[in-house]
Structures are given as C-alpha cells and as structure tokens.
Amino acid sequence: MGEEVKVLGVWASPFSYRVEIALKLKGIPYDYIEEEDLHGNKSELLLKSNPVHKKIPVFFHAGKPIAESLVILEYVDETWKTNPILPQDPYQRAMARFWAKFIDEKCMFPIWNAFHGDDKALEEVHDHLEILENELKDKRFFGGESIGLVDIVASFISYGIGAIQEVHTVKLLTNEKYPKLYKWSEEFVGVIKEYLPPRDKLVVFYKAHFEATHGSK
C-alpha cells in the first residue's frame, strides 16, 4: 500500500488523534495537515473533502477522502492488515463496533457538557462510565491483551479527561470510583503516550478554553 496517506485534523481533537493512533500502531507513514479554524473560515480542503458534515478528521488515501473517524478506523484496519485493531471473529467484531458506537453516541458529548456545568450530562456520564467499568471486567484493554478499536475510540476518556481534570474542579474518572477504568486508562496511555498530543500543551489548551467560556474553574 504505497499510495500517499494524509490526515486533515485538529491536534487537540480526540476524533482526530484517534486516527493518528491507529496509523502509528500499524506503522503507516502519513502526512498531517492542521485545520486552523473550525469555527470561522474552514479551509477549502475541508469543505471540498467533507461537504456533508464539514468536520475533521478527513483521511486521504491515494487522493480519495474519507470522513468520520469510526469509518476511517475501519477503513485503515481493512486496508492495512498488520497489527489489527478489530477482532477476526465476526461476533467480537460486532461487539467492538457496538462499544465504539456507544462511546461516540453516549459518552463523548455528555463528558464535554458535564465539564461545562450540565448536571444532567454529569449524571449520564457517571452511568455510562459505570457501564464501561463493568464491560472492561479484568481485561488489560477492551481489546483483550492488545489495543483494539474500542480502546482507540475511548482515548479521550483515558487521556482527555485526565488533562481536563488538571484544570477543572469536576472529577469524572478517579481510581476510587472506577478502579478498573482508571487502571486501563493508565495502562493505555502508558503504551501509546508517544502517539498522543503533548500533555502539557493539551492542559494549556483546555485551561484557555474553560477560562474563555466560563472563567477559571
């Protein structure tokens, strides 16, 4: 697979860096393009390559664009067979897709809203983290002994929440409340730390965001 690979993203976006995690785990070289302004003047490349949602990330392979991070992750796994991130067994593959969708639909935005003072979202998040705690059981990763699709999709839970909690009074993921999930998060980040945005840079980013929207928390 020698065709050119590119990722159009935003460095701090968990949807963006989950694609980069998959590529790096598989050892696939790629060029990264930073989308500078998601709120004002979106780039012509973004509008042209993802005209439906107009969102990052966008993945390019041999000049063809693919949008939506879950779709991209499956495409990457089907195209490059080394270090698979989806199980081979059809049932296990279906379960991985189920939990990945659960995280995207039930966890991502409630987590963000909880940090922005939404009490209902906060309750939802705790319910959903409890579900993930029970699903993880005693496994090292959601994918078993190796990192899989669900772990990658949950990278914001393992990494982003920790960075936000450094500058925010709300604490969602703690060892006391979710010991299995907390242990998983530390293990996961320990393995892929070099593939993630710099922690100090991310903390500064979130601090500036919350101060700009709500004042210091």
Side-chain angles (χ1 to χ4, degrees), residues 11-71:
W11 72 270
S13 166
F15 299 101
S16 190
Y17 60 68
R18 62 172 56 160
V19 174
E20 293 193 81
I21 291 170
L23 292 171
K24 289 172 180 174
L25 284 172
K26 286 177 169 287
I28 302 165
Y30 65 96
D31 292 324
Y32 176 78
I33 306 164
E34 178 77 5
E35 177 67 22
E36 298 293 344
D37 188 356
L38 281 177
H39 304 290
N41 297 316
K42 295 183 179 181
S43 70
E44 183 178 339
L45 178 61
L46 176 58
L47 297 176
K48 181 180 179 181
S49 57
N50 188 6
V52 176
H53 297 296
K54 303 179 178 64
K55 295 179 179 178
I56 54 91
V58 181
F59 180 79
F60 300 88
H61 183 210
K64 297 177 180 178
I66 302 169
E68 296 296 291
S69 62
L70 291 185
V71 176

Side-chain angles (χ1 to χ4, degrees), residues 4-210:
E4 190 174 32
V5 174
K6 297 181 180 180
V7 177
L8 175 64
V10 170
W11 72 270
S13 166
F15 299 101
S16 190
Y17 60 68
R18 62 172 56 160
V19 174
E20 293 193 81
I21 291 170
L23 292 171
K24 289 172 180 174
L25 284 172
K26 286 177 169 287
I28 302 165
Y30 65 96
D31 292 324
Y32 176 78
I33 306 164
E34 178 77 5
E35 177 67 22
E36 298 293 344
D37 188 356
L38 281 177
H39 304 290
N41 297 316
K42 295 183 179 181
S43 70
E44 183 178 339
L45 178 61
L46 176 58
L47 297 176
K48 181 180 179 181
S49 57
N50 188 6
V52 176
H53 297 296
K54 303 179 178 64
K55 295 179 179 178
I56 54 91
V58 181
F59 180 79
F60 300 88
H61 183 210
K64 297 177 180 178
I66 302 169
E68 296 296 291
S69 62
L70 291 185
V71 176
I72 295 167
L73 291 174
E74 291 219 29
Y75 177 86
V76 167
D77 202 44
E78 290 171 2
T79 304
W80 291 274
K81 303 299 184 181
T82 56
N83 299 326
I85 60 174
L86 273 159
Q88 297 302 306
D89 177 74
Y91 176 78
Q92 295 300 327
R93 287 172 73 87
M95 289 299 96
R97 291 186 178 110
F98 173 87
W99 288 110
K101 191 173 181 181
F102 172 82
I103 290 166
D104 259 12
E105 293 184 354
K106 297 294 186 180
C107 299
M108 293 295 290
F109 291 106
I111 288 171
W112 193 243
N113 291 339
F115 281 122
H116 282 83
D118 186 329
D119 291 338
K120 183 179 179 182
L122 182 61
E123 290 180 16
E124 285 182 42
V125 171
H126 282 303
D127 288 343
H128 297 151
L129 290 181
E130 184 67 33
I131 289 170
L132 290 175
E133 172 90 353
N134 294 332
E135 170 58 22
L136 188 58
K137 300 183 177 71
D138 294 318
K139 295 180 289 186
R140 183 185 182 195
F141 301 111
F142 285 100
E145 283 301 307
S146 59
I147 290 170
L149 175 72
V150 181
D151 303 284
I152 295 170
V153 172
S155 55
F156 178 64
I157 294 173
S158 65
Y159 194 62
I161 284 180
I164 293 174
Q165 288 182 164
E166 287 193 30
V167 298
H168 206 292
T169 55
V170 172
K171 308 302 178 189
L172 295 181
L173 181 59
T174 64
N175 187 41
E176 292 73 26
K177 193 164 183 65
Y178 306 107
K180 294 176 182 178
L181 207 55
Y182 188 85
K183 181 181 178 182
W184 159 82
S185 71
E186 292 204 320
E187 182 87 4
F188 178 68
V189 170
V191 172
I192 64 159
K193 188 175 183 179
E194 62 184 295
Y195 304 158
L196 292 162
R199 179 64 169 254
D200 55 349
K201 185 179 178 183
L202 200 59
V203 168
V204 169
F205 170 84
Y206 286 130
K207 185 174 188 292
H209 169 80
F210 288 115

